[in-house]
Amino acid sequence: MTSVLGVSVGASAVRVACRDAADSVDATGPIFRSTAVAATLERPEDVAAESIGTALGDGEDLGEVQAIGVAYQDEAQADAVEAALAREHIGNVHLVPEVTAALEMLEMSGDLGNHSTLVFYDLGSSGLTVTVVERSTGTVLDSARTDEISGDLVDRLIRDQQLELQKIAQPADEAAALELDARCRLAKEQLSSTGAVCVPGDGGLLLLSQDTFESLIQGPVETSARITRDVIHRSGRRPDAAVLIGGGAYIPLVTSVMESWLKIPVIVPEQPELVAAEGAALLAQQAPAEVVAVPEPPKSRRRGAVLAGGALAAVAALGLVLGVGADALEGSEKDPQPDPTEPEAPAPVIENATPPAMTSATAADLPSPVPPQVDTEAEAPTTGVARTEAYTPYVQPPTAAQPDSGTQTDVSRNEPAPVPSPPPLIPGLPQLQLPVLPPPAPLPELPRIPGL
């Protein structure tokens, strides 16, 4: 048996839908098996990757997985999901926009009828996304997202109402607060199909009627209808129907307000929270199977990269020394230098010699300073490779003689023979010639103080 997986990534839950690749579509649409995994607001993409890995490991139920589709809200979430999948070493994954996946599923189920332009109202736990779509081409005409209404906001409104009326005691700690939030979420879900709820728990019973619930959320729901109408106006296209998806589509007040504000038919799928995941699976099944995954290298490979980086640093340091020595050696071949182990011959004596004036031609013939060379190819970033740039030492040009009005004093006759150079520090390598500094000038004699 071969299967396809579809995943939708929400702020509070990751939903996974599985379908047998060989199943045909009947009158009720494709048949899926689905599950939901609680997520966190910080890293839901990690929960999605781990859920896919768990599903892949359960080979007895799924058999061979042919393809995986993941529906994403925006490009930032797509990048996060892709990185999380790479960390889990999961390949053959197709990322598709949520609205595209939802449109595909609704086309297969036959819920769209003959409507040509649709406005999708996707109300989830973290916010609302409104999108106007041209059905025939899948083109998004306009879209907007807001957090003025969300599933979490509805839960907070229920909690605040219960605490304000002192029907429930204040949570004593963080664990009690999380338990109360879960009870408020359960009450919201139960009110989608009943007129009143009673949810027991620590701190007292949570009692809430449908009328009270709708009075709490009337304002945010009408705000969402106004936002939807604004998006429709900006799109320049009048939609034929509104499609409610996401967990918030179960709230009856949302359907009635959208119908009265938009004056168009409202479509609510049978399982609105699973539409994106199921559509992602259908699209993944249609896409090519060859998808290249780029998993993170194993730890042993990373450790080898660190050791290689240290070796490169050592080679670079040795190359620096050899580079300086090579330049010195090249200079000795062009201009013969005295043997560092033998005393240097005294310079010739020049008596009353007036230096010639520097002409323009002479100045032009002088070599210009050579700036350090930069390897332009080394500036391009590379993934996982540390590149060390080659170092070129700076060569100081010879200083031109400056004209002087006086005569040059002969100091070479009384100058002692130069001191022999010390033995080389590293035999076999050229040595750097250090300049010989003249002796310091004598200090002036200090005046004597009488009586001392």
Side-chain angles (χ1 to χ4, degrees):
M1 181 183 70
T2 59
S3 303
V4 290
L5 292 181
V7 181
S8 63
V9 185
S12 63
V14 172
R15 306 189 186 277
V16 181
C18 174
R19 177 174 182 262
D20 188 350
D23 287 347
S24 59
V25 179
D26 56 15
T28 60
I31 301 176
F32 287 90
R33 292 171 292 164
S34 61
T35 182
V37 182
T40 60
L41 292 176
E42 292 79 11
R43 302 293 294 272
E45 61 275 4
D46 289 340
V47 178
E50 293 172 2
S51 301
I52 295 174
T54 302
L56 293 177
D58 192 5
E60 296 182 359
D61 293 340
L62 300 180
E64 181 183 356
V65 176
Q66 174 181 333
I68 303 171
V70 178
Y72 63 87
Q73 295 178 356
D74 50 31
E75 293 299 328
Q77 188 185 69
D79 294 339
V81 170
E82 188 175 5
L85 292 173
R87 288 192 293 269
E88 295 291 331
H89 307 280
I90 299 175
N92 196 20
V93 177
H94 305 268
L95 301 179
V96 295
E98 278 189 351
V99 66
T100 304
L103 184 60
E104 178 67 19
M105 178 57 194
L106 295 174
E107 290 282 6
M108 296 291 291
S109 64
D111 291 336
L112 299 181
N114 58 354
H115 304 297
S116 59
T117 304
L118 306 168
V119 54
F120 280 86
Y121 179 100
D122 186 359
L123 180 56
S125 61
S126 62
L128 167 68
T129 303
V130 179
T131 309
V132 179
V133 182
E134 186 180 75
R135 178 181 175 182
S136 60
T137 61
T139 303
V140 175
L141 303 178
D142 200 89
S143 181
R145 181 167 177 83
T146 180
D147 58 0
E148 295 188 41
I149 184 173
S150 64
D152 292 341
L153 173 62
V154 174
D155 298 342
R156 288 196 301 269
L157 292 176
I158 297 175
R159 181 194 60 190
D160 294 344
Q161 186 262 356
Q162 295 289 310
L163 294 176
E164 183 180 356
L165 297 179
Q166 298 182 354
K167 295 182 177 181
I168 294 180
Q170 288 283 350
D173 51 21
E174 184 177 357
L178 293 176
E179 190 271 340
L180 177 57
D181 292 341
R183 293 168 61 194
C184 294
R185 187 179 307 110
L186 179 60
K188 173 190 66 179
E189 295 172 354
Q190 292 181 356
L191 284 172
S192 64
S193 58
T194 184
V197 295
C198 175
V199 184
D202 296 337
L205 293 175
L206 193 160
L207 302 173
L208 189 63
S209 66
Q210 183 69 247
D211 293 338
T212 303
F213 174 63
E214 291 184 352
S215 66
L216 292 176
I217 65 174
Q218 182 78 30
V221 172
E222 291 183 349
T223 299
S224 69
R226 185 180 301 107
I227 294 173
T228 303
R229 197 166 57 182
D230 293 341
V231 174
I232 293 174
H233 178 73
R234 291 198 307 268
S235 70
R237 189 79 60 86
R238 175 69 178 174
D240 303 319
V243 181
L244 308 187
I245 60 176
Y250 284 111
I251 301 176
L253 181 64
V254 172
T255 302
S256 60
V257 169
M258 296 298 292
E259 288 176 342
S260 61
W261 278 65
L262 302 181
K263 308 298 182 183
I264 56 177
V266 175
I267 301 173
V268 181
E270 183 178 356
Q271 292 180 303
E273 77 281 11
L274 292 174
V275 169
E278 294 171 347
L282 294 175
L283 291 173
Q285 187 177 7
Q286 301 170 13
E290 295 81 16
V291 177
V292 179
V294 186
E296 186 182 68
K299 292 183 178 180
S300 59
R301 188 184 303 176
R302 292 200 303 270
R303 187 180 302 111
V306 173
L307 296 177
L312 287 176
V315 173
L318 181 59
L320 175 62
V321 176
L322 295 178
V324 174
D327 287 346
L329 181 60
E330 181 180 359
S332 63
E333 293 175 356
K334 295 179 181 179
D335 300 322
Q337 301 292 335
D339 190 345
T341 60
E342 298 179 2
E344 189 176 66
V349 179
I350 302 177
E351 297 185 6
N352 299 331
T354 302
M358 178 183 292
T359 62
S360 59
T362 306
D365 294 336
L366 291 177
S368 57
V370 180
Q373 298 180 358
V374 179
D375 188 2
T376 56
E377 296 182 357
E379 296 178 359
T382 57
T383 304
V385 179
R387 178 178 298 181
T388 304
E389 296 182 0
Y391 174 79
T392 303
Y394 180 80
V395 180
Q396 179 69 31
T399 305
Q402 301 295 333
D404 192 359
S405 57
T407 60
Q408 183 176 3
T409 306
D410 182 11
V411 295
S412 59
R413 290 184 178 181
N414 300 326
E415 184 179 358
V419 181
S421 301
L425 295 178
I426 304 177
L429 292 179
Q431 305 301 311
L432 298 177
Q433 299 295 329
L434 300 179
V436 179
L437 300 178
L443 298 176
E445 184 179 357
L446 299 176
R448 303 180 62 85
I449 301 176
L452 294 180

